[in-house]
């Protein structure tokens, strides 16, 4: 159990949290949610002891071990991968290293022998002999191949480091597990593995995530941060959303009835207060009026952008024809003889672990890269708008937001352009902010504004939810569902893939592709059945 007791945190004059009291108990998984800037990551740092409170304290059941997901991806560059994972249980790792140092001594003394015996006993109690195999199991589950387990952390790429640090947090069955955006940079297979791990995890989990499907899958409770307070709800994310909306609706309805009663009493008092025969009744109603209190309905700090992609022209039957596309980069086959034809109603999700292949394919289709072999042809009625995974070049200039977006608009009227910015939560004064200094989330919202103002009838998204808060992801999801044109997209957000796509294309590690007209959940179910059939057949052969 871990609890916050009257926790207040002030940053300057602003109170980020005010007298927060909340208890997180064993066997539950808590989703910590709130608008950007509400303090989700800050609260996890308070719980983990990385940040001191202004007032109040954090209590943990004596003897329990807390583990959290490290955010510094370079902290362990000097260590091997397996060692980094085992460091998730620091005491166990320290014992291992002290044992190694003792046994490496040339002049092994009696005192060394006694100390080694003590360490061996504690090591066995902590299941130390299984440490390396347990660490390897976690790494394999997250997609880190065995040949990388003894590599240096410095030799891994960013995505691989994230997975190793996640394995570190999960290692050794911690009593309390704090995870800040654990699905960031994970492929869908790794996310699915993590979901199953957390569902079967018996201790306390507190997780911050913008992935609604993930929160629905793993959470037993939702802890909602709004205006410096934390309200606890039983159930997953969808249940929280329905409950919170129902509560607001009920409070508004109760206030409406109270307002009607107030009006009725005021009218009676106004009509009969001067009437001697009804003065007692008027006085009685005055007392009743004084007792009526309207519920304070404070608006949420959450803000939802308005995302609506409207094509300027209807798309024709011929959309895109791709024939035999192949691409090799640095000696690695990225795309191998890719062919497909798109129809006017296709919304295609590109899935699978081959992240680079998706980006390369999109860059080829947008004319940013030439294929080694093959060709493609867009239909004459099509117009395309592209959301790149790496948007660095887009904002490497000194333009203001308003001027930047005006450059992509056929209509140069300032009011027209600012209308699109307003929908994406950029008020008038933000229009003069330089694009170079925008945050990651602000840059994404700018790119979505650009796609809306383009009027394109084909949209291409390469991981558009990175850096977005949950409200913006929800708005984007709704905009993609409503869009009447064609979409090609890659996303790690399960809910976006499931609710948007009617066609799934998986680019395999060897560059080949599987193309199915189906929903994502159906694709996963069939893929799981295929894997089980393969395992069953291999077992038969072995027998």
């Amino acid at each position: 159990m871990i609890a916050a007791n009257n926790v207040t945190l002030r940053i300057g004059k602003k109170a980020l949290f005010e007298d927060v009291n909340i208890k997180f108990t064993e066997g539950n998984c808590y989703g910590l949610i709130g608008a950007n800037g509400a303090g989700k990551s800050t609260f996890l740092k308070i719980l983990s002891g990385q940040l001191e409170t202004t007032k109040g304290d954090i209590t943990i059941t004596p003897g329990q071990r807390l583990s959290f997901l490290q955010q510094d991806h370079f902290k362990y560059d000097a260590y091997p991968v397996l060692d980094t994972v085992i460091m998730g249980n620091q005491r166990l790792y320290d014992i291992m290293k002290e044992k190694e140092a003792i046994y490496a001594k040339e002049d092994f003394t009696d005192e060394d022998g006694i100390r080694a015996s003590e360490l061996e006993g504690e090591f066995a109690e902590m299941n130390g002999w299984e440490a390396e195999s347990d660490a390897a199991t976690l790494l394999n589950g997250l997609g880190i191949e065995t040949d990388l387990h003894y590599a240096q952390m410095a030799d891994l790429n960013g995505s691989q480091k994230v997975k190793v640090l996640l394995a570190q947090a999960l290692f050794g069955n911690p009593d309390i597990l704090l995870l800040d955006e654990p699905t960031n940079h994970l492929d869908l297979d790794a996310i699915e593995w993590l979901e199953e791990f957390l569902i079967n995890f018996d201790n306390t989990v507190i997780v911050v995530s913008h992935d609604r499907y993930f929160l629905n899958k793993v959470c037993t409770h939702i802890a909602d941060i709004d205006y410096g307070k934390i309200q606890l709800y039983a159930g997953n994310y969808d249940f929280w959303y329905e409950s919170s909306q129902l509560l607001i609706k009920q409070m508004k309805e109760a206030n409406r009835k109270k307002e009607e009663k107030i009006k009725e009493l005021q009218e009676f008092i106004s009509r009969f207060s001067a009437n001697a025969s009804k003065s007692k009744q008027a006085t009685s109603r005055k007392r009743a009026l004084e007792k009526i209190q309207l519920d304070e309905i404070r608006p949420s700090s959450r803000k939802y952008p308005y995302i609506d992609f409207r094509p300027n022209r209807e798309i024709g039957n011929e959309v895109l024809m791709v024939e035999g596309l192949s691409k090799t980069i640095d000696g690695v086959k990225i795309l191998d003889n890719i062919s497909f034809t798109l129809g006017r109603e296709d919304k295609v999700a590109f899935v699978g672990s081959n992240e680079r292949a998706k980006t390369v394919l999109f860059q080829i289709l947008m004319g940013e890269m030439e294929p080694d072999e093959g060709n493609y042809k867009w239909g004459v009625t099509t117009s395309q708008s592209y959301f790149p995974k790496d948007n660095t070049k887009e904002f490497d200039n000194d333009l203001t937001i308003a001027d930047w977006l005006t450059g992509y608009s056929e209509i140069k009227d300032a009011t027209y352009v600012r209308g699109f910015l307003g929908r994406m939560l950029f008020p008038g004064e933000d229009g003069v902010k330089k694009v170079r200094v925008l945050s990651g989330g602000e840059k994404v919202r700018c790119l979505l504004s650009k796609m809306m103002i383009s009027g394109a009838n084909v949209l291409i998204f390469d991981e558009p939810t990175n850096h977005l808060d949950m409200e913006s992801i929800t708005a984007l999801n709704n905009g993609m569902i409503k869009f009447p044109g064609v979409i090609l997209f890659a996303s790690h957000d399960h809910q976006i893939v499931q609710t948007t796509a009617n066609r799934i294309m998986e680019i395999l590690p060897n560059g080949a592709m599987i193309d199915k007209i189906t929903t994502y959940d159906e694709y996963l179910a069939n893929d799981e059945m295929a894997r089980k059939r393969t395992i069953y057949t291999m077992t038969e052969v072995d027998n």
Side-chain angles (χ1 to χ4, degrees):
M1 183 275 294
I2 182 169
N5 310 299
N6 296 312
V7 165
T8 296
L9 178 67
R10 294 187 178 277
I11 301 174
K13 294 182 179 180
K14 179 186 177 184
L16 192 58
F17 299 106
E18 192 79 50
D19 295 324
V20 169
N21 289 282
I22 189 168
K23 183 185 294 184
F24 304 98
T25 56
E26 186 177 348
N28 293 316
C29 179
Y30 299 85
L32 190 62
I33 65 170
N36 269 5
K40 301 182 292 294
S41 296
T42 301
F43 191 69
L44 285 189
K45 288 179 181 177
I46 291 173
L47 292 176
S48 65
Q50 298 175 79
L51 195 61
E52 291 291 328
T53 63
T54 306
K55 188 181 78 171
D57 57 27
I58 302 299
T59 57
I60 297 176
T61 301
Q64 291 199 335
R65 184 171 70 86
L66 181 147
S67 179
F68 60 90
L69 177 58
Q70 296 279 356
Q71 300 298 315
D72 183 354
H73 298 170
F74 305 99
K75 183 176 181 179
Y76 301 93
D77 275 1
Y79 296 93
V81 168
L82 267 181
D83 280 26
T84 301
V85 175
I86 296 171
M87 284 182 198
N89 188 335
Q90 191 62 48
R91 177 56 188 159
L92 176 61
Y93 182 76
D94 290 343
I95 291 172
M96 290 175 62
K97 291 303 165 184
E98 188 177 350
K99 278 174 52 187
E100 289 175 9
I102 290 175
Y103 291 138
K105 286 185 174 182
E106 293 184 3
D107 52 342
F108 192 85
T109 65
D110 289 343
E111 289 78 8
D112 290 331
I114 293 170
R115 179 57 180 161
S117 177
E118 292 171 350
L119 292 172
E120 290 290 3
E122 190 175 354
F123 186 71
E125 287 179 6
M126 299 177 74
N127 294 320
W129 297 111
E130 287 79 42
E132 287 198 6
S133 62
D134 289 347
T137 298
L138 292 171
L139 290 168
N140 289 332
L142 288 166
I144 299 296
E145 300 297 333
T146 304
D147 60 352
L148 290 175
H149 292 187
Y150 295 93
Q152 290 294 113
M153 285 290 287
D155 296 331
L156 271 56
N157 63 37
S159 177
Q160 291 167 334
K161 285 183 178 180
V162 168
K163 291 179 177 181
V164 175
L165 293 177
L166 179 55
Q168 180 193 75
L170 304 178
F171 176 77
N173 195 37
D175 301 289
I176 300 162
L177 179 59
L178 309 181
L179 300 175
D180 192 356
E181 296 292 357
T183 62
N184 276 5
H185 308 293
L186 293 189
D187 55 70
L188 289 165
D189 287 340
I191 292 172
E192 184 179 1
W193 180 90
L194 178 61
E195 289 167 354
E196 292 303 315
F197 181 94
L198 294 179
I199 288 169
N200 295 308
F201 188 73
D202 293 329
N203 299 331
T204 305
V205 182
I206 306 170
V207 58
V208 171
S209 177
H210 290 149
D211 188 326
R212 298 158 297 163
Y213 181 90
F214 178 78
L215 292 177
N216 279 329
K217 194 86 180 282
V218 305
C219 289
T220 61
H221 296 73
I222 295 295
D224 178 30
I225 303 178
D226 212 352
Y227 289 108
K229 301 292 184 182
I230 303 181
Q231 181 71 36
L232 196 60
Y233 295 80
N236 62 15
Y237 177 79
D238 281 350
F239 186 81
W240 161 81
Y241 184 79
E242 292 170 6
S243 299
S244 60
Q245 295 303 304
L246 179 61
L247 180 61
I248 293 172
K249 184 178 180 181
Q250 289 173 338
M251 290 175 68
K252 287 181 177 179
E253 180 63 20
N255 274 357
R256 186 185 64 79
K257 291 179 179 179
K258 288 178 182 178
E259 286 169 348
E260 289 176 355
K261 186 64 176 177
I262 289 170
K263 185 178 179 181
E264 177 187 323
L265 292 172
Q266 287 174 333
E267 287 177 353
F268 185 93
I269 294 166
S270 177
R271 287 178 61 194
F272 298 110
S273 58
N275 187 321
S277 63
K278 294 195 174 184
S279 62
K280 287 186 178 181
Q281 295 179 39
T283 302
S284 174
R285 280 167 171 74
K286 281 182 181 178
R287 295 196 191 99
L289 182 62
E290 291 169 357
K291 292 179 181 179
I292 297 177
Q293 297 287 330
L294 293 177
D295 294 322
E296 181 184 3
I297 305 176
R298 195 173 187 182
S300 172
S301 59
R302 291 177 172 82
K303 294 181 180 179
Y304 289 83
Y306 179 72
I307 298 178
D308 187 18
F309 304 106
R310 296 184 183 181
N312 291 335
R313 67 180 294 184
E314 187 176 351
I315 200 166
N317 291 323
E318 294 182 1
V319 179
L320 173 65
M321 183 175 67
V322 174
E323 291 185 341
L325 283 188
S326 293
K327 184 69 178 180
T328 298
I329 299 177
D330 297 331
V332 178
K333 195 80 165 181
I334 305 298
L335 301 174
D336 187 10
N337 196 29
I338 300 294
S339 298
F340 60 88
T341 301
L342 292 187
R344 62 184 299 174
E345 295 181 352
D346 281 336
K347 291 185 177 179
V348 185
F350 289 82
V351 303
S353 59
N354 198 341
E355 302 289 326
R356 192 178 187 187
K358 303 169 197 173
T359 297
V360 168
L361 177 61
F362 292 158
Q363 289 175 330
I364 290 173
L365 296 179
M366 290 305 297
E368 295 183 359
M369 184 182 292
E370 289 295 324
D372 297 334
E373 299 175 26
N375 56 76
Y376 64 94
K377 182 180 180 181
W378 288 104
V380 293
T381 64
T382 65
S383 56
Q384 302 84 36
S385 187
Y386 175 45
F387 183 105
K389 181 185 288 188
D390 182 1
N391 57 43
T392 306
K393 293 180 181 178
E394 283 276 4
F395 301 101
D396 187 17
N397 58 72
D398 291 316
L399 294 173
T400 65
I401 297 176
D403 289 342
W404 177 87
L405 186 58
T406 300
Y408 293 106
S409 175
E410 291 184 6
I411 301 173
K412 303 301 181 182
D413 179 69
T415 303
Y416 175 78
V417 172
R418 286 181 182 274
F420 282 89
L421 291 175
R423 296 176 199 172
M424 296 306 293
L425 308 180
F426 291 108
E429 61 271 17
D430 275 2
V432 298
K433 186 187 292 187
K434 297 290 181 69
V435 295
R436 189 187 296 278
V437 301
L438 296 179
S439 68
E442 288 173 326
K443 288 177 179 177
V444 171
R445 286 189 276 121
C446 277
L447 288 172
L448 294 175
S449 300
K450 170 190 168 184
M451 296 181 80
M452 285 194 290
I453 210 168
S454 73
N457 53 25
V458 178
L459 304 179
I460 301 177
F461 296 98
D462 194 357
E463 299 296 347
T465 62
N466 290 351
H467 305 294
L468 286 183
D469 59 21
M470 206 170 309
E471 292 70 42
S472 296
I473 291 172
T474 300
L476 173 60
N477 195 173
N478 293 336
M480 292 172 72
I481 292 170
K482 290 190 303 180
F483 180 62
V486 170
I487 301 179
L488 295 83
F489 70 101
S491 175
H492 289 163
D493 189 297
H494 187 117
Q495 192 160 333
I496 283 183
V497 177
Q498 171 59 20
T499 57
T500 303
N502 55 23
R503 187 172 175 180
I504 304 295
M505 295 186 186
E506 179 177 1
I507 303 179
L508 303 173
N510 63 3
M513 192 175 76
I514 299 171
D515 182 2
K516 298 285 185 182
I517 297 175
T518 181
T519 66
Y520 184 54
D521 283 348
E522 289 170 346
Y523 183 82
L524 289 177
N526 291 332
D527 187 48
E528 181 66 25
M529 289 173 63
R531 284 201 295 265
K532 287 179 178 178
R533 284 196 297 272
T534 301
I535 293 169
Y536 182 73
T537 303
M538 290 175 67
T539 304
E540 281 187 327
V541 171
D542 291 340
N543 292 338

